[in-house]
Amino acid sequence: MVFSSTIFMFMFLPIVLGGYYALRGPVRNYWLLGMSLVFFAWSQPKYLWIILVNIAVNYLAAMLMQNQAIKKPILLCCILINLGLLFYFKYFDFVLESVNSLLNRHLLVPEIILPIGISFFTFQGMSYSIDVYRGTVPVQKNPFKVALYIVLFPQLIAGPIVRYTDVVREIDTRTVGLEDFTYGIQRFVVGLGKKVILANSMASVCDTIWARGAGNSTVAVAWLGSIAYTLQIFYDFSGYSDMAIGLGRMFGFHFNENFRLPYISKSISEFWRRWHISLNTWFRDYVYIPLGGNRKHVYRNLAIVFLLTGIWHGAAWNFIFWGIWNGLFILAERYHGNSAGKKDQKEKGGFLKQSVGLLYTLFVVNAGWVLFRAPDLKAAGRYILNMIGITRGGSGFTLESYLDPWTLLILFLSILFASSIPSRVGESIEKKWGGRLVLSGKYLLLIGMFLFCMMRIVAGTYNPFIYFQF
């Protein structure tokens, strides 16, 4: 079940909201827990046991860690079980295929089906256990509250990755006023628009270009395909995060932001402070800092983090090289920053310097997304060679074949809303015309956007979320 579906918006969500606000007190948590399990099991009932094991393992580990004598081995066992399940379902096939390919073996590959969201809820469960071990959060003795934290449906299958520290108080006591609920609806509709209007439209262009093959594209068409995917993945994932944050607010939960206009970054380091923030902070707090952080072996620590970032995203060599690709630029920027000295690090530079930084970042990120999108490294290599004009593309499909008026409009809007221009214009209008007029206009725009999204969903346009595969 996806958020941008009629069954979710017109059946599941109204039932959950109706039951939640009809109930009072602690029963609300049990209602949310039960409906979250229904949400997870809707399309994969035979995998419900995996998330129940995740809940049980992390709950029991936290309880047992109250005994100081066995605290460390219990945490180690907990992490091994969590990562063991993740490895089996996500990476076991990949390892066997790699062994067969590299060593010319013929090991049987079982073709294991990946449970949706396993990377997200595995990291959430581990963060709770690790934080209990560190003493940064109290042990939760009620197993149903631990279960609600891990399985809460708004962020269950595609993030953002929520820390127990962020919601521990709200699990026990939370209130939802009219302002919170209204904000939640607005945020959900904005995310829905990002997904259904922008991401899906860019996906149509990108998928068509990739399906026709790099050899059938001119240089311009290859660039259009890469740019379309760069915009698609941003609006697909940030749209889902917006919907998750909005849904959480409707039930009184305040999830942290997951994206902050990453495509206005002036460096790859800045990009990764703005992109998928919940994953980056998870690796920072549970991998980078424990390895030594900025105190020792900085370059080694950064290399490990970005290697793991690539591995986390998918069981394929192109994901691993995508992580390495980003990591190399992070290391280079870190080295240059250290060599330049503290004074230069603090200076942002003039317009020209910032423009060069922006273009450099967009080029590196865009090339990285080709690795991410490609079915394998060979296909990625062919596509990149086509982009830079080394391989000769076909003449059958020109740029004009793809850029119809609708696509041009969506391309323009996608680029515009990936920048800070709309927020600056909105602030200017609010100062000049007053908040009430802006609010009325915003509500009319949101209503129109929602109705248009419904038309496209009912029409059966492309709709799956990219990050469901992770």
Side-chain angles (χ1 to χ4, degrees):
M1 191 189 309
V2 298
F3 292 165
S4 54
S5 65
T6 53
I7 196 168
F8 176 83
M9 286 184 286
F10 297 114
M11 188 180 79
F12 183 82
L13 184 58
I15 290 173
V16 178
L17 285 170
Y20 182 82
Y21 285 102
L23 299 169
R24 290 291 181 271
V27 182
R28 283 181 163 183
N29 279 352
Y30 294 106
W31 172 255
L32 273 183
L33 174 58
M35 295 309 293
S36 294
L37 291 170
V38 170
F39 178 85
F40 180 82
W42 187 268
S43 58
Q44 47 185 1
K46 66 178 182 179
Y47 281 158
L48 184 61
W49 69 268
I50 298 173
I51 203 164
L52 294 176
V53 168
N54 180 282
I55 293 165
V57 166
N58 289 287
Y59 170 76
L60 291 172
M63 292 294 289
L64 291 172
M65 278 190 283
Q66 294 178 92
N67 184 337
Q68 296 296 318
I70 59 172
K71 189 176 182 181
K72 195 167 185 176
I74 288 296
L75 176 66
L76 180 61
C77 289
C78 176
I79 292 174
L80 288 175
I81 293 171
N82 276 288
L83 294 181
L85 281 170
L86 181 61
F87 172 81
Y88 176 74
F89 283 100
K90 190 168 184 177
Y91 303 104
F92 190 61
D93 280 357
F94 168 65
V95 170
L96 292 179
E97 289 167 357
S98 299
V99 169
N100 287 340
S101 176
L102 296 172
L103 302 180
N104 196 26
R105 301 293 297 274
H106 301 283
L107 300 174
L108 180 64
V109 179
E111 297 184 358
I112 300 163
I113 297 174
L114 179 69
I116 294 175
I118 189 169
S119 297
F120 288 94
F121 64 73
T122 297
F123 271 32
Q124 283 203 187
M126 285 199 301
S127 72
Y128 167 68
S129 301
I130 295 169
D131 285 348
V132 169
Y133 173 82
R134 292 174 173 177
T136 54
V137 297
V139 175
Q140 176 55 258
K141 296 183 179 180
N142 186 333
F144 297 106
K145 290 183 179 180
V146 174
L148 179 61
Y149 156 67
I150 293 174
V151 82
L152 187 62
F153 79 89
Q155 43 73 47
L156 173 61
I157 53 179
I161 301 170
V162 177
R163 307 281 188 86
Y164 186 69
T165 53
D166 297 330
V167 295
V168 57
R169 292 183 180 178
E170 292 176 341
I171 287 175
D172 290 323
T173 56
R174 60 187 180 276
T175 57
V176 185
L178 181 60
E179 185 177 348
D180 269 334
F181 193 83
T182 303
Y183 175 83
I185 294 173
Q186 293 176 45
R187 192 67 184 267
F188 181 88
V189 173
V190 167
L192 185 68
K194 283 183 177 182
K195 167 60 183 168
V196 175
I197 300 173
L198 301 181
N200 287 1
S201 298
M202 288 294 95
S204 178
V205 175
C206 174
D207 289 351
T208 303
I209 292 172
W210 274 91
R212 288 172 175 172
N216 292 320
S217 300
T218 62
V219 172
V221 169
W223 274 96
L224 175 63
S226 68
I227 291 169
Y229 186 72
T230 294
L231 294 168
Q232 177 199 352
I233 194 169
F234 169 60
Y235 286 112
D236 188 280
F237 194 17
S238 70
Y240 187 95
S241 292
D242 285 340
M243 286 188 271
I245 290 168
L247 287 168
R249 191 67 70 89
M250 293 181 202
F251 297 102
F253 292 96
H254 293 70
F255 302 150
N256 293 329
E257 294 296 330
N258 211 20
F259 292 88
R260 290 195 176 95
L261 296 177
Y263 291 158
I264 67 169
S265 303
K266 311 302 188 300
S267 67
I268 302 302
S269 302
E270 182 185 355
F271 173 81
W272 280 100
R273 290 192 295 269
R274 294 172 174 271
W275 177 276
H276 202 345
I277 299 168
S278 63
L279 178 66
N280 301 329
T281 54
W282 198 98
F283 276 124
R284 180 197 66 196
D285 294 343
Y286 300 113
V287 179
Y288 182 71
I289 292 176
L291 285 172
N294 295 329
R295 302 187 311 277
K296 58 181 181 180
H297 308 303
V298 175
Y299 297 101
R300 180 206 67 180
N301 301 340
L302 287 170
I304 290 172
V305 164
F306 276 90
L307 176 62
L308 292 175
T309 299
I311 293 171
W312 182 89
H313 277 84
W317 286 108
N318 53 307
F319 291 113
I320 294 172
F321 275 86
W322 172 77
I324 293 171
W325 169 261
N326 282 276
L328 288 173
F329 286 95
I330 292 287
L331 293 174
E333 289 175 7
R334 179 78 185 206
Y335 177 79
H336 173 73
N338 287 343
S339 301
K342 293 182 179 179
K343 182 178 179 181
D344 289 343
Q345 291 183 58
K346 293 179 181 179
E347 294 177 356
K348 294 184 177 179
F351 174 77
L352 180 60
K353 184 177 179 181
Q354 291 194 51
S355 298
V356 170
L358 176 64
L359 291 174
Y360 143 76
T361 303
L362 289 174
F363 177 81
V364 172
V365 169
N366 186 67
W369 288 137
V370 173
L371 283 169
F372 202 92
R373 170 62 177 79
D376 52 53
L377 283 174
K378 187 180 290 186
R382 286 198 303 267
Y383 197 95
I384 290 172
L385 290 175
N386 194 182
M387 288 173 65
I388 59 181
I390 292 179
T391 58
R392 187 176 180 180
S395 57
F397 303 101
T398 62
L399 199 62
E400 291 76 15
S401 304
Y402 300 95
L403 293 179
D404 56 79
W406 170 255
T407 302
L408 280 170
L409 174 63
I410 295 300
L411 186 62
F412 170 75
L413 292 176
S414 298
I415 294 171
L416 176 66
F417 285 106
S419 73
S420 58
I421 294 172
S423 61
R424 294 205 303 265
V425 170
E427 290 171 4
S428 178
I429 293 174
E430 188 170 355
K431 286 180 182 178
K432 186 174 181 179
W433 299 100
R436 184 171 295 180
L437 181 62
V438 173
L439 193 64
S440 300
K442 182 172 72 173
Y443 285 155
L444 287 173
L445 182 63
L446 288 170
I447 292 169
M449 185 190 303
F450 179 76
L451 293 174
F452 186 69
C453 288
M454 289 302 98
M455 291 169 60
R456 288 181 65 82
I457 290 171
V458 170
T461 57
Y462 173 97
N463 209 31
F465 285 95
I466 292 174
Y467 265 70
F468 276 14
Q469 64 185 298
F470 310 131

